[in-house]
Amino acid sequence: MTTTLSLGPVLFNWDAEDRRDFYFRIADEAPLDTVYVGEVVCSKRAPYFDPHLPAVVDRLRRGGKQVIHSTLTLILCEREMDAVRALAEVPEVLIEANDIGAAALLAGRRHIVGPFVNVYNECTLAYLARQGAVRVSLPWELSSRSLVALAKSDAAELEVQVFGRVPLAISARCYHARAHGLHKDGCQYVCAEDRDGMSVETLDGDSFLTVNGTQTLSHTVANLIGQLEELQEMGIRAFRLWPHAIDMVAVAKVFRDVLDGKQTLGDGRRRLDALAGLAPFANGFYTGGKGAAVSP
Amino acid sequence: MGARLELVCPAGNPAALRAAVDAGADVVYAGFADETNARNFPGLNFSRDEMAEGIAYARERRCCVYVAINTYPGAGNSAPWRRAVDDAAALGADAVILADIGLLDYSQRSHPDLRRHLSVQASASNAEAIRFYHQAFGVKRVVLPRVLTVSEIADLNARIEVETEVFAFGGMCVMAEGRCSLSSYVTGQSPNTDGVCSPASHVYYEKRNSDLVSRLGDFTLNVYSDGEAAGYPTLCKGRFVTNGRASYLFEEPTSLNVLTMLPELTAAGVSALKIEGRQRGRAYVARVVATFRRAVDAAARGDMVPAGELDAMTEGQRQTAGAYDKSWH
């Protein structure tokens, strides 16, 4: 059974050269089928990495990867929408819309609908497929029960996120700037100080959330390696990893090996435990409970 | 001045509906008592009979009723949402407020004459998104997310052909609405599908020496020292620690209040003002609606808008213009 393993866009504000080198290594070494590129959190960050994008895309393609350009999660102005328009003018570029405005712009041509668009049921899924969505990367909040129901539809290929912190919320307001006593307009790009986001703890000292500019992620790292088999039985064939500042080539290898049956789940889990180290794993959304919860 | 802003007011129960109508609401919005609307709290909302009576009461007094069906149907479980749309149409609702694409599609096909508004839960924050909902589903009005500044709203209104409604008073989401799963991360109940954020069933208070601790699920959201006023522990209004410093990282416990901005919102082309608070009692609703009634009428005449009257009704007696005022960022 063929499966697609993909790497979602980098969510964090990594130094442009670091990000370029990260993608070069992914292109050369990671057993991934698809790599998403592009800024999805804050449009102010895009100009720094954009000059490297052509070389990155070229290297990824030469490495045998399908490249998909992801759009901003929250498009607030025409300048931001113009960036999507410009991208859409390039022939053959495949775009992931993470805002319904971008999806509307891409109607009539092949595109992807990203996990930041609310697709909770088969009617919405079917509608977006009729608009030209060939793949829908589903929201992280869906339980296995919902996934089973959606997987019965053959309207579009479905992708499920199986690794990485969960991007729980997006705002027009920058919490990274706010935490440093700065205004969003004069943020000094302080989000770049935290390669995996800024830790948010409760007053009791419990790790809770992770702030990444205007985005808020979970503290825990979602990990559905134990559910890959079940997901495949449902009919899900595409699996997404979110990039973190850990050895993502090695993480991709673990998922690829388990998907291909080259490694037992137990061994895969042990390898991931050794690799991740960012925070505890969780899979609560999948089981229909609180997202921070974990079960086998 | 331009056209008079329509005043859209909350009703969590029949008493609040009557209070809002009597206080001068142009429109009351309400939901059925289940997961089909975004204020699915115990003891709140309307049975079908109560909705019918509410619509009759409002209509006799030249007030409209919009029915909010603004959560997302779960996969394989669209029936309750479709039934809510069917019933709202049958009961004579003046509009339904929807968020889900599949449900908008159903509503248009099954009830083409039923007026459709786009809920803020759909998070339509740009002209392309709004045009899509207008062209695909005949949406007549869009409730704008509370993330836009007044000048962004004016730019948007110049580019779209539908009415816009903005939040004017009450609780304030600081995250893009309909795109936040902070609460479900902690409680397992989703604002988008279950219609609850920071639900009371998961709230705990405990005394710790002289401090009062408020918790949501497994996480402490705030600690109040003796004498400090304790607010409801809404997740994004909690106090958290970053880089070793405790602060209201996302937002202070505060209320949105645009009372003094009515002329600017009118000039920006806004059609309607929405007052938040379906979980509030009739006294609160009556007071806020009456104050806004006077203010909207004053603004329409070009008179000074009375300020300060609602200070006592705001959370923690703190208020903000939210995103409308660029300084919020």
Side-chain angles (χ1 to χ4, degrees):
Chain A
M1 187 187 303
T2 319
T3 53
T4 303
L5 190 61
S6 56
L7 185 71
V10 172
L11 298 171
F12 305 102
N13 189 11
W14 292 354
D15 170 83
E17 280 76 27
D18 284 353
R19 189 188 290 212
R20 178 200 59 195
D21 294 346
F22 167 80
Y23 278 120
F24 283 178
R25 182 162 175 250
I26 288 289
D28 298 346
E29 300 175 35
L32 289 157
D33 306 288
T34 301
V35 177
Y36 295 83
V37 297
E39 178 59 50
V40 302
V41 176
C42 176
S43 62
K44 288 171 70 177
R45 300 171 176 177
Y48 295 91
F49 185 64
D50 279 355
H52 298 292
L53 208 45
V56 162
V57 169
D58 180 57
R59 183 87 159 241
L60 286 167
R61 288 202 176 123
R62 283 193 281 126
K65 276 77 174 169
Q66 178 192 39
V67 178
I68 297 173
H69 293 256
S70 295
T71 72
L72 274 183
T73 303
L74 182 65
I75 298 178
L76 286 172
C77 61
E78 282 300 304
R79 178 180 54 79
E80 291 173 348
M81 190 60 84
D82 283 344
V84 185
R85 287 193 187 96
L87 201 53
E89 278 170 16
V90 183
E92 302 302 315
V93 164
L94 198 50
I95 303 172
E96 175 184 71
N98 282 312
D99 177 292
I100 201 68
L105 192 78
L106 298 167
R109 61 178 272 175
R110 290 175 80 241
H111 65 274
I112 316 283
V113 167
F116 300 94
V117 174
N118 286 338
V119 180
Y120 281 100
N121 56 69
E122 54 276 42
C123 306
T124 298
L125 175 63
Y127 191 93
L128 294 172
R130 290 199 296 275
Q131 296 268 100
V134 292
R135 176 189 291 177
V136 174
S137 193
L138 293 167
W140 49 85
E141 206 187 46
L142 295 176
S143 67
S144 60
R145 218 174 82 181
S146 296
L147 294 173
V148 165
L150 286 167
K152 286 184 182 145
S153 159
D154 59 357
E157 183 185 29
L158 301 181
E159 183 179 78
V160 170
Q161 295 146 70
V162 292
F163 181 84
R165 285 195 160 129
V166 181
L168 297 169
I170 185 77
S171 177
R173 198 174 195 184
C174 181
Y175 303 113
H176 238 114
R178 183 172 156 91
H180 285 83
L182 298 167
H183 192 274
K184 184 181 177 188
D185 288 345
C187 67
Q188 298 173 27
Y189 300 93
V190 289
C191 54
E193 291 176 9
D194 302 298
R195 284 175 55 78
D196 274 305
M198 177 175 66
S199 295
V200 178
E201 295 175 2
T202 69
L203 292 176
D204 289 340
D206 294 328
S207 296
F208 185 28
L209 298 168
T210 304
V211 158
N212 170 36
T214 53
Q215 182 179 58
T216 305
L217 301 103
S218 61
H219 168 67
T220 54
V221 174
N223 178 9
L224 297 188
I225 194 162
Q227 284 70 41
L228 289 177
E229 196 177 334
E230 202 172 288
L231 285 161
Q232 289 180 85
E233 281 165 12
M234 290 177 200
I236 308 284
R237 304 269 178 274
F239 305 98
R240 173 185 291 213
L241 318 173
W242 286 115
H244 283 286
I246 55 176
D247 187 347
M248 290 307 296
V249 170
V251 171
K253 281 180 179 162
V254 174
F255 275 87
R256 186 75 269 171
D257 286 349
V258 172
L259 280 171
D260 291 349
K262 287 186 187 159
Q263 182 169 47
T264 64
L265 177 58
D267 284 347
R269 280 194 162 126
R270 277 187 286 280
R271 274 170 69 194
L272 269 189
D273 282 343
L275 280 167
L278 286 172
F281 291 134
N283 58 6
F285 283 132
Y286 181 83
T287 59
K290 49 194 175 188
V294 63
S295 58
Chain B
M1 288 306 299
R4 196 179 77 151
L5 292 160
E6 181 183 283
L7 194 54
V8 184
C9 304
N13 58 47
L17 181 144
R18 290 190 295 274
V21 172
D22 295 346
D26 295 310
V27 178
V28 171
Y29 67 99
F32 294 122
D34 56 28
E35 74 272 37
T36 63
N37 81 89
R39 284 290 180 281
N40 179 26
F41 294 132
L44 214 60
N45 300 316
F46 288 68
S47 69
R48 266 53 176 179
D49 286 346
E50 287 167 341
M51 190 69 84
E53 287 164 20
I55 289 173
Y57 186 87
R59 188 143 298 153
E60 283 163 18
R61 290 157 185 82
R62 296 172 177 275
C63 180
C64 295
V65 175
Y66 298 163
V67 177
I69 309 167
N70 57 349
T71 49
Y72 291 84
N77 185 33
S78 288
W81 281 264
R82 292 185 171 198
R83 199 159 53 237
V85 171
D86 295 341
D87 290 347
L91 294 171
D94 295 283
V96 284
I97 308 171
L98 309 177
D100 179 61
I101 287 172
L103 196 64
L104 281 156
D105 190 34
Y106 170 80
S107 164
Q108 174 168 259
R109 283 186 287 105
S110 303
H111 306 281
D113 298 331
L114 178 62
R115 188 176 159 98
R116 284 172 294 285
H117 291 183
L118 189 71
S119 169
V120 71
Q121 294 299 115
S123 186
S125 58
N126 55 70
E128 290 291 348
I130 292 169
R131 271 188 219 119
F132 163 69
Y133 286 108
H134 174 55
Q135 289 167 6
F137 310 116
V139 161
K140 296 280 197 298
R141 180 184 294 178
V142 172
V143 184
L144 294 179
R146 282 165 271 195
V147 296
L148 297 160
T149 63
V150 173
S151 76
E152 284 168 345
I153 291 170
D155 286 347
L156 201 52
N157 275 324
R159 293 170 190 275
I160 57 175
E161 293 173 12
V162 298
E163 297 173 5
T164 53
E165 180 175 310
V166 300
F167 279 84
F169 190 84
M172 187 180 61
C173 286
V174 292
M175 306 302 181
E177 294 97 334
R179 303 173 83 174
C180 176
S181 38
L182 287 172
S183 181
S184 41
Y185 178 66
V186 174
T187 70
Q189 291 195 280
S190 159
N192 279 359
T193 55
D194 301 308
V196 287
C197 170
S198 309
S201 53
H202 289 70
V203 168
Y204 308 95
Y205 292 96
E206 62 185 54
K207 268 302 227 191
R208 205 181 283 171
N209 301 322
S210 61
D211 293 341
L212 180 67
V213 178
S214 64
R215 294 170 67 84
L216 183 71
D218 300 328
F219 297 98
T220 291
L221 293 196
N222 215 331
V223 178
Y224 302 95
S225 54
D226 205 11
E228 200 179 355
Y232 185 84
T234 304
L235 199 155
C236 57
K237 314 285 168 57
R239 196 149 39 179
F240 304 113
V241 177
T242 51
N243 301 319
R245 195 176 73 88
S247 71
Y248 286 101
L249 174 67
F250 302 111
E251 178 59 293
E252 286 86 6
T254 185
S255 291
L256 177 69
N257 185 3
V258 302
L259 207 54
T260 58
M261 301 180 84
L262 301 187
E264 291 148 87
L265 290 168
T266 308
V270 168
S271 296
L273 296 178
K274 181 175 222 111
I275 293 172
E276 192 272 345
R278 280 190 282 155
Q279 70 281 23
R280 301 287 194 162
R282 58 189 294 183
Y284 173 95
V285 169
R287 171 125 183 243
V288 175
V289 172
T291 305
F292 265 87
R293 175 77 281 148
R294 286 194 297 278
V296 165
D297 291 347
R301 288 191 306 268
D303 292 348
M304 278 284 288
V305 175
E309 287 189 39
L310 290 173
D311 291 357
M313 313 296 283
T314 54
E315 192 170 352
Q317 280 74 59
R318 295 178 64 115
Q319 48 192 306
T320 172
Y324 302 133
D325 177 351
K326 185 74 177 161
S327 66
W328 185 66
H329 297 287

